[in-house]
Amino acid sequence: MDELVPGGNLPLPGGALTLAVPGPFDVSALVTDDGGKVRGDADFVFYNQPAAPGARLSGQTLTVDPAALRAGADRVTVVVSPAEPGTPLGRLPAPTLQVTGSGGRVLARFTPSRPQRETVLLLAEIYRRGTTWKLRALGQGYADGLAGIARDFGVEVAEDTDTGPGQGTGAAAAPRTTGAGAGADPHTDGFLPLVNSARAAAGSPAVVLDGRLTAAARAHAADMAARGRLGSEGADGLSVHQRVTAAGYAYLTVGEHLVSGPRDAAEFVEYCLSGERTRRTLQDPAFTGAGVACVPDKRSGTLYWTALWAGPLTPGGLARTAAEVLALTNAERAAAGLPPLADDPLLTRAAQAHSADMVARAFYSHTAPDGSEPWDRAAAAGSPRRTIGENIACGQRSPAEVVRGWMDSPGHRANILKPAFTHLGVGFAGGGSAGTYWTQLFGA
């Protein structure tokens, strides 16, 4: 079973899939073509309309058979909202999606970062890539309920006082966000002074605008505006992080805000400061560069923003990151009464090569496309260790976050706390669809 992080994806086996979200939530789904738009209200599966070709909802469980979807359908987006309408998701436990294959085997689980003011969440999507169907974890929040999602996916919304799919909330829609964004035009005037004022208030150093980050932000905002929907991956298959590396910016740390709705830089920054997660990104002291772009949807006039934040990859920064992962790992071992692991340069060389390879060849696995396994990579790096173990992760933005994630996963935790291991190598690379790729290579 795969534990997914936002942006993580995996290929799906054939047959029907069962997607369940236990807890005080309603589950919905949207069936769309690759452009992200429904053909009509019949493509919206929710409690009052529980079935569409290839998709059926029963309580909190959605069954999807990709082969049985209507002609032209390339994507099914899974949506979760509070069972009590209007309740902010921040007042509820974080929703957990469990995906089961036709044989009853659990394929994946995904728990997004806990939402705050959002009242609905795009949790995941099942999408076609060539002849293969895949699952991607999302975690994109909306503050204006199902009506906001319906509008973005092309469902007609009537403005009245009822709420629900195909109906309005009776109030102006709030900006929708996944976490980052903005573009280079008059709407972004004043962006940098506003941002640096907010950073100064938090004790963080100022950022400077970087042309590479701005170019990547502009390309991503334009893609979202052309499709009329927020998303971390564009129609060309490039993630926002791949745009950053393609622009020539190698990063050690990265953040993003993808937002639709704000009319100027002041509204955009105000929105980013209004939520704990988005505020933390804007004020993160690790960031030294920023890029911003804003592009209108020519059909609706809605402004789509991309803001990118990053700290550059340097040899010293990479060494400090690896050292922090080692220190946090040894703190967990000490708490369990185990001796510390020693830094191993040869294991580090192999771990770093694997993280870079996952970015370069767009895969996420212990087995590389050439069939090599962790012990093969350790031996190729010249390591004499006879017993080898490996933890990998993607999407986490800091050493603390990645070690915490490994400790929350029984298999990864077992490697960290294995008494026989004596040495550790740590690798990190930025880019790819998930943004960050981490490797721990253990040896004894």
Side-chain angles (χ1 to χ4, degrees), residues 270-366:
E270 180 182 9
Y271 182 77
C272 292
L273 292 173
S274 67
E276 179 183 353
R277 288 180 300 157
T278 51
R279 181 173 64 252
R280 190 165 59 242
T281 296
L282 188 148
Q283 296 178 335
D284 192 326
F287 298 139
T288 59
V292 64
C294 172
V295 178
D297 179 340
K298 293 181 180 178
R299 295 153 297 193
S300 67
T302 299
L303 297 177
Y304 283 82
W305 296 73
T306 299
L308 297 171
W309 318 86
L313 178 68
T314 64
L318 183 60
R320 287 190 296 273
T321 295
E324 189 173 349
V325 171
L326 175 62
L328 291 167
T329 299
N330 281 334
E332 297 292 349
R333 288 178 64 88
L338 296 171
L341 302 173
D343 178 33
D344 188 308
L346 296 178
L347 291 179
T348 294
R349 181 187 304 170
Q352 183 60 37
H354 188 56
S355 287
D357 193 29
M358 287 191 288
V359 170
R361 292 201 276 181
F363 74 97
Y364 176 65
S365 174
H366 295 289

Side-chain angles (χ1 to χ4, degrees), residues 33-71:
D33 56 24
D34 194 46
K37 298 296 184 182
V38 299
R39 287 188 175 178
D41 289 353
D43 281 345
F44 204 152
V45 180
F46 67 110
Y47 47 88
N48 280 342
Q49 185 173 282
R56 177 171 293 275
L57 181 64
S58 177
Q60 297 161 303
T61 300
L62 176 71
T63 301
V64 176
D65 184 355
L69 294 171
R70 64 158 173 81

Side-chain angles (χ1 to χ4, degrees), residues 148-331:
I149 286 182
R151 290 188 185 95
D152 277 5
F153 280 78
V155 178
E156 290 297 324
V157 179
E159 295 294 339
D160 57 32
T161 57
D162 295 326
T163 58
Q167 298 174 328
T169 61
R176 275 86 66 189
T177 178
T178 60
D185 79 357
H187 295 96
T188 66
D189 287 349
F191 169 79
L192 195 61
L194 289 166
V195 164
N196 283 332
S197 175
R199 290 176 64 84
S204 298
V207 293
V208 297
L209 290 177
D210 185 285
R212 296 162 296 179
L213 295 176
T214 297
R218 185 178 299 114
H220 200 73
D223 182 277
M224 293 192 299
R227 292 186 297 150
R229 61 176 294 198
L230 294 168
S232 60
E233 182 179 294
D236 54 6
L238 290 178
S239 73
V240 65
H241 309 106
Q242 287 169 312
R243 297 190 197 282
V244 173
T245 54
Y249 193 108
Y251 58 80
L252 183 63
T253 182
V254 68
E256 67 280 343
H257 290 98
L258 310 177
V259 179
S260 66
R263 295 164 294 185
D264 55 31
E267 284 191 7
F268 172 74
V269 172
E270 180 182 9
Y271 182 77
C272 292
L273 292 173
S274 67
E276 179 183 353
R277 288 180 300 157
T278 51
R279 181 173 64 252
R280 190 165 59 242
T281 296
L282 188 148
Q283 296 178 335
D284 192 326
F287 298 139
T288 59
V292 64
C294 172
V295 178
D297 179 340
K298 293 181 180 178
R299 295 153 297 193
S300 67
T302 299
L303 297 177
Y304 283 82
W305 296 73
T306 299
L308 297 171
W309 318 86
L313 178 68
T314 64
L318 183 60
R320 287 190 296 273
T321 295
E324 189 173 349
V325 171
L326 175 62
L328 291 167
T329 299
N330 281 334

Side-chain angles (χ1 to χ4, degrees), residues 4 25 64 91 97 107 119 126 130 176 200 230 307-308 312 330 374 378:
L4 297 178
F25 305 107
V64 176
R91 297 181 186 174
L97 172 70
L107 304 174
T119 55
I126 297 165
R176 275 86 66 189
L230 294 168
L308 297 171
N330 281 334

